């Protein structure tokens, strides 16, 4: 399904949120749970992350229908220590589990100054930047990560045993643009390789390997092989660290224990996430943080750009600008995604 915005009129955020909630309710979610899921996905669309926005109703919906995801998850939060929370997602929709874990970490950080939540029994929870924004708006700096289905070979290996696990960092700026960094572990997404195959183009040999673990310029061979991590062996090590926190320490599945939602859509993935939050209000006043964050950004912006058409920015500025524009003008979705949302929204509730 195409997720690229097409010639459909932009939809106001409130209208799209209600449509998304009705669509997920028809798939069996209680209204409040649907609201949590849609909050994350609409933020992704506002940021321009269309592949991780409401288009995800296609894959989430398929798994909800075949029993791979529990539409009525009973999420439980344990408190083993003042600053620590353990979240059992009961195989719920990933953004729902993610929002519960984020709130649990925020509660812990508000009490202790720093809080950490480990989530298990979850699924794909969307992009990280929406969680980072929600935390930043509430005054928390964050490090957030999730593990994922294996698509990367161990460094020097010849089969997929490592997930393309994302990690994100956010630091609030009470009087300006928050710092938001959201990144996966691969050099590029598989979608970029598929696009090269459709266009009949070669790819750089730094993107992926063939099935034998050798770097390749053939997109077909790459799709039969493995993604390469950013920074070579350093990215490989970072991917393992994310999985150790998100999967192993959370008591979720890790590495090859994670099931593929593509190959086994009817089976729980047992993905894990971690949310580490710092209450910046314990460090200083809002004015203190604003001044330092604005100065931090200014130092970067004052660097003369190599290309005058592309000024230096800090992570998050593009996404926040898109969000501001779409909040005012409406959110653009592809005709296919919009049709699927309306079809689910108009269907009888499961």
């Amino acid at each position: 399904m195409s997720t690229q915005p097409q010639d459909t009129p932009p939809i106001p955020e409130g209208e799209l949120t209600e449509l998304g909630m009705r669509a997920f309710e028809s798939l069996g979610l209680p209204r409040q749970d649907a609201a949590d899921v849609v909050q994350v996905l609409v933020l992704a669309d506002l940021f321009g992350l269309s592949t991780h926005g409401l288009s995800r109703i296609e894959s989430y919906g398929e798994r909800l229908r075949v029993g791979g995801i529990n539409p009525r998850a009973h999420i439980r939060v344990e408190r083993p220590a003042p600053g620590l929370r353990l979240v059992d997602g009961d195989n719920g929709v990933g953004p729902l589990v993610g929002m519960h874990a984020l709130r649990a970490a925020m509660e812990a950080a508000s009490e202790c100054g720093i809080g950490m939540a480990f989530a298990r029994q979850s699924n794909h929870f969307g992009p990280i930047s929406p969680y980072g924004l929600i935390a930043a708006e509430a005054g928390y700096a964050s490090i957030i990560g999730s593990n994922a289905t294996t698509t990367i070979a161990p460094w020097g290996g010849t089969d997929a045993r490592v997930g393309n696990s994302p990690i994100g960092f956010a630091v609030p700026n009470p009087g300006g643009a928050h710092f938001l960094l959201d990144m996966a572990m691969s050099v590029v997404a598989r979608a970029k390789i598929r696009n090269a195959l459709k266009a009949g183009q070669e790819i750089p040999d730094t993107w992926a390997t063939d099935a034998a673990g050798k770097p390749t310029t053939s997109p077909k061979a790459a799709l039969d092989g493995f993604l390469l991590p950013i920074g070579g062996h350093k990215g490989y090590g970072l991917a393992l660290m994310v999985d150790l926190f998100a999967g192993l320490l959370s008591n979720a599945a890790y590495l090859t224990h994670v099931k593929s939602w593509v190959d086994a859509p009817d089976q729980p993935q047992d993905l894990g996430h971690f949310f580490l939050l710092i209450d910046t209000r314990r460090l200083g006043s809002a004015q203190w943080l604003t001044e330092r964050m604005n100065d931090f950004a200014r130092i970067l912006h004052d660097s003369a750009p190599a290309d005058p058409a592309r000024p230096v920015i800090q992570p998050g500025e593009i996404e926040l600008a898109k969000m501001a524009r779409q909040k005012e003008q409406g959110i653009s979705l592809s005709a296919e995604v919009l049709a699927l949302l309306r079809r689910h929204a108009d269907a009888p509730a499961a």
Side-chain angles (χ1 to χ4, degrees):
M1 180 174 66
S2 171
T3 59
Q4 295 301 313
Q6 297 172 1
D7 294 330
T8 57
I11 304 171
E13 179 186 357
E15 182 180 328
L16 187 59
T17 296
E18 178 61 29
L19 178 65
M21 288 174 62
R22 285 173 42 217
F24 277 100
E25 283 183 279
S26 79
L27 289 165
L29 273 68
R31 186 165 180 82
Q32 185 53 55
D33 290 357
D36 274 346
V37 172
V38 170
Q39 181 180 6
V40 173
L41 300 184
V42 167
L43 276 172
D45 280 316
L46 282 168
F47 284 159
L49 307 174
S50 57
T51 57
H52 284 58
L54 283 168
S55 66
R56 281 285 166 171
I57 196 167
E58 180 180 32
S59 57
Y60 293 173
E62 177 189 351
R63 297 194 62 223
L64 283 161
R65 285 195 301 269
V66 300
I69 295 177
N70 180 5
R72 298 264 171 180
H74 177 60
I75 298 172
R76 298 178 297 280
V77 180
E78 297 179 14
R79 178 184 172 133
L84 193 60
R85 302 291 185 271
L86 303 179
V87 180
D88 187 317
D90 194 27
N91 194 34
V93 183
L96 172 64
V97 181
M99 285 299 294
H100 275 262
L102 175 63
R103 287 193 289 263
M106 289 170 68
E107 177 193 58
S110 70
E111 294 177 14
C112 303
I114 185 166
M116 184 126 191
F118 291 100
R120 62 185 292 269
Q121 287 294 330
S122 187
N123 293 280
H124 180 279
F125 77 158
I128 291 175
S129 49
Y131 302 105
L133 176 67
I134 294 167
E137 289 285 299
Y140 299 96
S142 62
I143 303 175
I144 301 169
S146 175
N147 61 2
T149 305
T150 56
T151 53
I152 297 173
W155 192 248
T158 58
D159 58 353
R161 294 180 180 239
V162 181
N164 191 11
S165 302
I167 188 169
F169 303 82
V171 180
N173 182 343
H178 307 305
F179 178 99
L180 299 171
L181 174 63
D182 181 352
M183 61 186 224
M185 293 300 124
S186 63
V187 176
V188 297
R190 278 190 178 275
K192 207 163 187 178
I193 299 174
R194 285 193 292 268
N195 290 341
L197 179 64
K198 289 177 184 176
Q201 299 171 344
E202 289 191 336
I203 61 172
D205 65 3
T206 55
W207 283 11
T209 72
D210 60 20
K214 304 295 184 184
T216 182
T217 59
S218 164
K220 183 178 185 308
L223 291 172
D224 292 333
F226 318 104
L227 297 174
L228 279 169
I230 55 173
H233 67 281
K234 296 179 182 179
Y236 164 59
L238 184 55
L240 297 184
M241 201 65 229
V242 173
D243 206 346
L244 283 165
F245 274 67
L248 189 139
L249 291 180
S250 70
N251 202 29
Y254 52 86
L255 298 179
T256 56
H257 295 308
V258 175
K259 287 186 169 61
S260 167
W261 65 267
V262 175
D263 298 334
D266 60 336
Q267 297 181 36
Q269 282 193 286
D270 190 16
L271 286 186
H273 323 305
F274 70 87
F275 293 75
L276 173 59
L277 268 59
I278 300 166
D279 186 352
T280 60
R281 292 161 295 194
R282 304 289 188 99
L283 304 174
S285 69
Q287 181 181 352
W288 165 83
L289 185 56
T290 296
E291 289 174 354
R292 291 180 66 81
M293 288 295 289
N294 286 344
D295 182 59
F296 188 95
R298 180 191 57 76
I299 292 171
L300 301 175
H301 293 154
D302 284 351
S303 177
D307 179 354
R310 302 180 65 182
V312 175
I313 60 173
Q314 77 171 11
E317 289 182 4
I318 292 174
E319 291 81 2
L320 290 171
K322 285 182 180 176
M323 181 176 72
R325 185 170 63 251
Q326 292 200 98
K327 275 182 172 290
E328 181 180 339
Q329 301 175 1
I331 301 171
S332 298
L333 289 184
S334 77
E336 290 175 271
V337 171
L338 189 55
L340 183 58
L341 284 168
R342 287 174 173 160
R343 189 158 65 246
H344 279 299
D346 293 337

